[in-house]
Amino acid sequence: HSGVDMELSAALKNRRLGTNLCLLGRTHSAMEERTKRNNKKELSKSFWVEARRYMRYATAVYGQSMIRAAELDARGRFSKVKGSVTRDVISHHIDVPPEDIVWMDVNYDGDANHLRHFIAVDHRHEKVVLSLRGTFSLGEIVTDVAGFTREFCGGEAHSEMARTGMACGGTNRATKFNENKGYEFIITGHSLGAGAACLLTILLETKQLLPRSQKMRCFAYAAPPVYTPLEHAPVASKRTTNFIHQQDAVPYLSVDSVRHLCNTLVAVDDLDQTRMTRRERYQIILGMKPVPSHLVRTVLEAKDQNPLEPKEGAPVLYIPADTTVWLQKMKKNDSEDGDYHYSTTTSKELVQRGIRVHPDMLLDHFPPRYENAFDHLVEDD
């Protein structure tokens, strides 16, 4: 597409790709240590309780295996629900009676073009919740990354997420079940599901597909960048909160950001071959030697030293959320002690930061890690 594949191959087909990634990862870690995140919007106890609740919905739509993994990882135990009835396991995880899960399409069949989802009516909290399932397979990870755009609600959106989100039919079913006046409509999801949730929120707001008096919010967990420009979706963005756990890379993944990552890898490779001995290279990778200033400078200046031409269908995309909450483990004596704190940032600041290479950039993406963070933050609040 527009020569992007040729552009990326210079970095990704390089036989020194592993070494370059390790050097870049060490450099990013050094840069991170020098950056203090002081931005922090005060968030209430009720907000954290809701954020944890809807993260459980986002986990539950993956089905039994993910729920059991979250129970074990986040709470050190398996679900008490025995048997193989998925509805009962989901019901227990989201704390809603089975009969109030009014639509369920969660059985995974390998079709990355079909966005699985369920709808639950939470009478206790007076909510109708649509939960959209996220990345489950390699094919769907490709969908996350292969984000060329299409026209969407006055702007441009990640084409595959816009298509799968609109095709799932979940919004039509959810509105049909919202018979109780005053119930708020909640859209939630993780990963690809979060991106689709953001776009559905824009669609519902822009096209005025819900009654004017209908309350609506979106809780997005690890949403990738899916829309531009943000100025075309101001109300939907205000309704949306996005969350990032630790070093999760998915909230930075777009064609544009991957292009810049590969551009930086090429710059690191050039420096590696001209100004580093093999010994120095591996001392840096193994942490036996600090990252030299000229390597940090090369990474910081890569965008300006070798500017990339804009590509049609691959603009700079943003997460359409007014606030992104960054869930971070606290450190004591250079070791993570399991407690969490948070900072807040904006979609434009995330784009400026770009993809950071880190050993946990994929592991930090999984729902159990998000659930674990929310459990700590709710208890510590």
Side-chain angles (χ1 to χ4, degrees):
H1 192 290
S2 303
V4 169
D5 53 345
M6 295 291 292
E7 193 176 70
L8 304 186
S9 64
L12 300 181
K13 292 184 178 180
N14 189 324
R15 61 183 177 84
R16 296 180 296 275
L17 174 61
T19 299
N20 294 334
L21 281 170
C22 289
L23 287 170
L24 182 55
R26 280 292 182 187
T27 307
H28 281 160
S29 293
M31 292 163 57
E32 196 80 4
E33 290 173 2
R34 301 173 191 176
T35 304
K36 292 185 178 180
R37 301 181 193 138
N38 294 321
N39 295 336
K40 188 172 181 178
K41 182 187 295 185
E42 288 301 319
L43 302 172
S44 67
K45 175 67 175 290
S46 61
F47 171 85
W48 287 112
V49 170
E50 282 196 310
R52 177 172 68 171
R53 180 185 307 140
Y54 299 122
M55 181 62 229
R56 291 193 179 191
Y57 277 81
T59 298
V61 73
Y62 283 99
Q64 291 195 55
S65 296
M66 189 66 79
I67 291 172
R68 296 192 190 284
E71 291 286 351
L72 184 62
D73 189 19
R75 287 168 279 284
R77 55 177 169 77
F78 283 114
S79 170
K80 297 178 181 178
V81 178
K82 296 181 179 179
S84 57
V85 181
T86 299
R87 183 182 295 269
D88 290 343
V89 177
I90 291 176
S91 166
H92 181 265
H93 199 66
I94 65 175
D95 195 24
V96 166
E99 61 270 20
D100 289 336
I101 302 174
V102 294
W103 181 269
M104 198 168 75
D105 178 12
V106 300
N107 292 327
Y108 181 69
D109 61 2
D111 183 2
N113 297 315
H114 184 91
L115 191 61
R116 303 299 177 183
H117 60 281
F118 74 81
I119 301 162
V121 179
D122 181 356
H123 291 293
R124 179 156 43 118
H125 300 102
E126 299 187 342
K127 314 288 184 187
V128 173
V129 185
L130 168 63
S131 181
L132 304 172
R133 203 205 66 205
T135 303
F136 198 84
S137 68
L138 180 59
E140 289 169 329
I141 292 174
V142 171
T143 299
D144 277 353
V145 179
F148 290 102
T149 60
R150 51 170 279 190
E151 191 281 330
F152 185 84
C153 294
E156 292 182 67
H158 185 296
S159 57
E160 288 303 302
M161 289 189 204
R163 183 183 60 78
T164 56
M166 293 174 68
C168 82
T171 51
N172 294 331
R173 297 188 187 106
T175 54
K176 182 172 66 175
F177 292 116
N178 193 10
E179 298 170 351
N180 298 277
K181 296 297 182 182
Y183 278 30
E184 185 178 21
F185 186 33
I186 302 291
I187 308 176
T188 189
H190 167 264
S191 192
L192 183 154
C198 290
L199 293 179
L200 279 175
T201 303
I202 292 173
L203 178 69
L204 291 169
E205 183 63 46
T206 304
K207 303 296 183 182
Q208 298 183 346
L209 299 179
L210 294 176
R212 188 176 297 274
S213 61
Q214 176 66 59
K215 294 181 289 184
M216 176 179 64
R217 282 182 296 161
C218 175
F219 287 78
Y221 304 90
V226 291
Y227 188 79
T228 194
L230 291 175
E231 291 73 20
H232 285 199
V235 178
S237 294
K238 287 181 180 178
R239 296 182 186 271
T240 303
T241 303
N242 181 55
F243 300 86
I244 301 177
H245 176 256
Q246 288 275 88
Q247 302 297 331
D248 188 351
V250 169
Y252 305 93
L253 287 181
S254 67
V255 174
D256 179 75
S257 65
V258 172
R259 289 179 68 210
H260 281 97
L261 174 66
C262 289
N263 190 44
T264 303
L265 285 168
V266 170
V268 169
D269 186 63
D270 290 343
L271 179 71
D272 178 23
Q273 295 304 300
T274 58
R275 296 188 59 181
M276 285 189 199
T277 64
R278 178 178 294 183
R279 178 183 178 85
E280 181 183 16
R281 182 184 311 143
Y282 288 109
Q283 284 179 328
I284 294 169
I285 291 173
L286 294 173
M288 299 167 62
K289 181 176 181 177
V291 177
S293 58
H294 59 270
L295 181 52
V296 174
R297 190 164 55 251
T298 294
V299 170
L300 289 172
E301 296 176 356
K303 185 182 292 188
D304 295 326
Q305 292 295 324
N306 186 24
L308 298 175
E309 292 290 329
K311 294 289 184 182
E312 182 181 356
V316 177
L317 292 175
Y318 301 92
I319 300 168
D322 257 17
T323 300
T324 286
V325 182
W326 206 328
L327 315 174
Q328 300 159 293
K329 273 190 177 180
M330 297 174 67
K331 291 188 175 183
K332 289 184 178 179
N333 298 323
D334 296 324
S335 65
E336 293 175 344
D337 67 355
D339 290 333
Y340 276 84
H341 65 121
Y342 73 93
S343 61
T344 54
T345 186
T346 67
S347 298
K348 291 187 176 181
E349 288 171 348
L350 291 177
V351 168
Q352 289 297 316
R353 183 175 187 270
I355 300 171
R356 296 289 175 94
V357 177
H358 190 276
D360 291 333
M361 61 193 295
L362 298 180
L363 290 175
D364 279 340
H365 180 62
F366 291 118
R369 296 209 169 185
Y370 277 79
E371 287 209 14
N372 182 53
F374 284 116
D375 282 352
H376 279 278
L377 284 162
V378 170
E379 291 169 1
D380 295 342
D381 194 281

